[in-house]
């Protein structure tokens, strides 16, 4: 008999503004739908949108290619509708994507009060327990974590972590009830890059791209300020939806303070199918993020032949060794400035070599990409954990 899995996610396809998790979940669903009966409960609109999707059924169950979907209206993101969804699907495993999500909190509270019978709970924190993430709205998050640990809200929960770094963060945050941890890499689909026309590069000129949600977690303001001291002509093109209006205003103010030799271009959100094309027009990709459990956009930048400058708070720790970019501590702003200046000073032969290394690195990862078997094992193990604990 197939396992039944009910996945809760704040954002899902056809949306794309919520970032990489939607793509990871969709790949799991599409790749394992023959082995697992999936149902997905998600919001009826994309991140930051006031209107719902126009091409999906809203507020009711629908089915496509053997997978059931419920795109919930705002008034259906409450305990009653969530409990009704659980009872309708009757899953073996409840897959919660994001620890601090309202959906996750509601499911755990329903179980705590005995309204959901014992079943496997698998939580993917999606990088939310990194030091950078916990540092945002820190008091509120720490209070909730302590209350959850003290009350037993984490009891018999299985945690999905994507790396040893996230494992350490999650162990520390889960505190009293770290029952089980499954190390399962974020199941994104890595493709070997297609051939592209070489991008010309002159010393003293560089085009940088930033592509992510405009939120404090992604540290766009830091990226802008780091460019203030470079010599030469630099352009930073900013792609992505605004998640936080106040932070967007902060970034705009930082951009206004840049010297005349540095230009900021606000390009807005980019549809997934256009990302590679947009990034391939830039020399370098800049992401001083406070933390990522995977960093899908780093893979996309490398595939587009765009060497990456990234913080040391993602699993992409080997870019220096691969000649595909720089991995830099946020605590060392001078290191960032030196790397940015190196980008500007780079001549065409050195740049083309680095561009080739970026594409070669993602090609190697695509060839060795972890199969979906690890995803199937993840759900089966979570289910087995529940059986063992119930015995």
């Amino acid at each position: 008999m197939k396992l039944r899995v009910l996945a809760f996610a704040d954002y899902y396809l056809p949306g794309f503004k919520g970032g990489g998790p939607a793509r990871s979940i969709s790949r799991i669903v599409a790749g394992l739908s023959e082995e697992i009966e999936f149902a997905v409960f998600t919001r009826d609109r994309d991140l930051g949108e006031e209107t719902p999707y126009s091409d999906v059924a809203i507020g009711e169950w629908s089915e496509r290619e053997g997978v059931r979907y419920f795109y919930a209206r705002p008034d259906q993101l409450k305990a009653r509708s969530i409990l009704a969804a659980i009872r309708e699907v009757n899953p073996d495993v409840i897959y919660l994507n994001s620890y601090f999500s309202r959906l996750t909190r509601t499911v755990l509270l329903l179980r705590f009060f005995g309204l959901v019978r014992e079943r496997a709970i698998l939580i993917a924190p999606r990088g939310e327990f990194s030091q950078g993430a916990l540092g945002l709205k820190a008091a509120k998050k720490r209070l909730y974590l302590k209350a959850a640990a003290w009350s037993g809200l984490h009891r018999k929960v299985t945690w999905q972590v994507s790396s040893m770094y996230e494992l350490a963060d999650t162990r520390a945050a889960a505190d009293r009830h770290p029952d089980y941890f499954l190390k399962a890499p974020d199941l994104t689909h890595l493709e070997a890059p297609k051939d592209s026309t070489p991008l010309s590069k002159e010393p003293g000129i560089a085009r940088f791209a930033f592509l992510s949600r405009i939120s404090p977690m992604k540290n766009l303001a830091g990226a802008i300020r780091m460019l203030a001291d470079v010599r030469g002509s630099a352009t930073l093109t900013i792609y992505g939806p605004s998640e936080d209006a106040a932070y967007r205003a902060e970034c705009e103010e930082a951009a206004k303070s840049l010297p005349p030799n540095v230009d900021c271009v606000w390009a807005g959100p980019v549809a997934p199918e256009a990302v590679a094309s947009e990034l391939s027009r830039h020399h370098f990709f800049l992401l001083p993020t406070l933390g990522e459990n995977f960093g899908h956009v780093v893979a996309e930048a490398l595939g587009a032949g765009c060497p990456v400058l990234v913080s040391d708070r993602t699993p992409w720790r080997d870019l220096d060794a691969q000649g595909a970019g720089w991995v830099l501590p946020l605590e060392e702003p001078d290191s960032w400035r030196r790397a940015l200046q190196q980008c500007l000073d780079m001549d065409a032969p050195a740049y083309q070599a680095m561009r080739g290394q970026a594409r070669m690195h993602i090609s190697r990862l695509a060839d060795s990409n972890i199969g979906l078997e690890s995803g199937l094992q993840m759900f089966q193990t979570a289910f087995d954990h529940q059986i063992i604990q119930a015995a």
Side-chain angles (χ1 to χ4, degrees):
M1 178 180 289
K2 291 183 178 180
L3 281 179
R4 291 187 302 276
V5 174
L6 173 57
F8 286 90
D10 281 310
Y11 304 103
Y12 192 72
L13 305 182
F16 62 91
K17 296 180 181 179
R23 281 172 283 171
S24 290
I25 302 164
S26 66
R27 188 190 176 210
I28 292 172
V29 170
L32 296 178
S33 58
E34 292 187 2
E35 289 83 11
I36 293 176
E37 292 183 14
F38 278 106
V40 178
F41 186 102
T42 187
R43 297 172 185 266
D44 70 350
R45 63 201 66 190
D46 206 354
L47 174 68
E49 294 294 329
E50 295 183 359
T51 56
Y53 302 118
S54 60
D55 52 355
V56 299
I58 303 298
E60 61 184 16
W61 285 102
S62 60
E63 185 172 330
R64 297 193 310 273
E65 299 179 353
V67 179
R68 301 180 70 188
Y69 296 93
F70 194 100
Y71 288 88
R73 301 186 305 266
D75 65 297
Q76 293 174 314
L77 300 172
K78 298 178 181 178
R80 178 179 297 179
S81 298
I82 291 171
L83 180 58
I86 295 172
R87 289 175 174 171
E88 168 72 20
V89 176
N90 190 27
D92 299 303
V93 179
I94 296 176
Y95 187 34
L96 302 173
N97 291 272
S98 165
Y99 176 74
F100 290 110
S101 165
R102 174 181 176 180
L103 295 176
T104 294
R105 184 168 64 249
T106 302
V107 171
L108 293 179
L109 287 171
L110 286 171
R111 188 187 66 151
F112 179 81
F113 288 112
L115 297 173
V116 175
R117 71 170 178 82
E118 287 295 327
R119 65 190 75 224
I121 302 289
L122 176 63
I123 301 180
R126 304 289 176 194
E128 291 172 325
F129 292 148
S130 68
Q131 290 185 3
L134 288 177
L136 302 174
K137 300 180 181 178
K140 184 177 180 180
K141 289 179 179 178
R142 294 292 184 187
L143 180 62
Y144 177 65
L145 281 166
K146 287 183 179 297
W150 176 82
S151 65
L153 203 63
H154 299 157
R155 182 179 58 87
K156 298 183 180 180
V157 161
T158 300
W159 304 85
Q160 177 197 352
V161 297
S162 61
S163 66
M164 296 304 295
Y165 310 110
E166 190 173 25
L167 173 61
D169 291 337
T170 306
R171 281 189 185 277
D175 198 17
R176 279 183 56 187
H177 295 285
D179 291 351
Y180 288 100
F181 294 92
L182 299 178
K183 186 176 178 295
D186 216 5
L187 299 176
T188 191
H189 183 53
L190 300 177
E191 293 184 354
K194 299 176 182 178
D195 293 336
S196 64
T197 304
L199 183 65
S200 63
K201 173 72 173 70
E202 298 178 24
I205 299 174
R207 296 196 298 273
F208 298 90
F210 172 97
L211 194 158
S212 196
R213 291 175 288 115
I214 298 173
S215 71
M217 188 67 189
K218 305 302 180 179
N219 197 21
L220 171 60
I224 294 171
R225 294 181 182 117
M226 290 169 186
L227 284 164
D229 298 325
V230 298
R231 301 179 305 278
S233 178
T235 300
L236 174 63
T237 304
I238 300 163
Y239 298 97
S242 297
E243 182 177 301
D244 184 318
Y247 186 72
R248 165 71 183 246
E250 178 186 338
C251 294
E252 290 177 343
E253 285 301 312
K256 291 176 183 177
S257 301
L258 288 172
N261 64 308
V262 182
D263 188 26
C264 267
V265 178
W266 296 88
V270 183
E273 60 272 15
V275 167
S277 174
E278 291 294 327
L279 291 180
S280 67
R281 299 189 297 105
H282 297 82
H283 295 112
F284 303 98
F285 183 74
L286 181 57
L287 187 67
T289 175
L290 302 187
E292 305 287 331
N293 76 312
F294 180 71
H296 295 77
V297 71
V298 174
E300 291 172 315
L302 294 171
C306 197
V308 175
L309 297 91
V310 68
S311 72
D312 60 356
R313 300 185 186 184
T314 83
W316 298 90
R317 307 290 179 101
D318 62 345
L319 298 184
D320 297 273
Q322 299 296 333
W326 296 260
V327 181
L328 302 161
L330 291 177
E331 299 80 11
E332 299 178 10
D334 287 343
S335 297
W336 286 85
R337 295 187 183 98
R338 286 193 295 271
L340 289 167
Q341 191 61 54
Q342 185 179 347
C343 292
L344 276 133
D345 295 342
M346 195 175 294
D347 61 17
Y351 176 71
Q352 295 304 333
M354 194 171 206
R355 187 174 175 87
Q357 286 298 113
R359 292 165 60 82
M360 186 179 299
H361 183 41
I362 207 66
S363 293
R364 285 192 295 265
L365 292 176
D367 291 340
S368 63
N369 196 16
I370 296 174
L372 287 164
E373 294 82 3
S374 60
L376 180 61
Q377 183 180 3
M378 176 180 72
F379 290 114
Q380 185 62 57
T381 303
F383 177 71
D384 292 343
H385 285 173
Q386 191 273 330
I387 297 297
I388 292 169
Q389 293 178 100

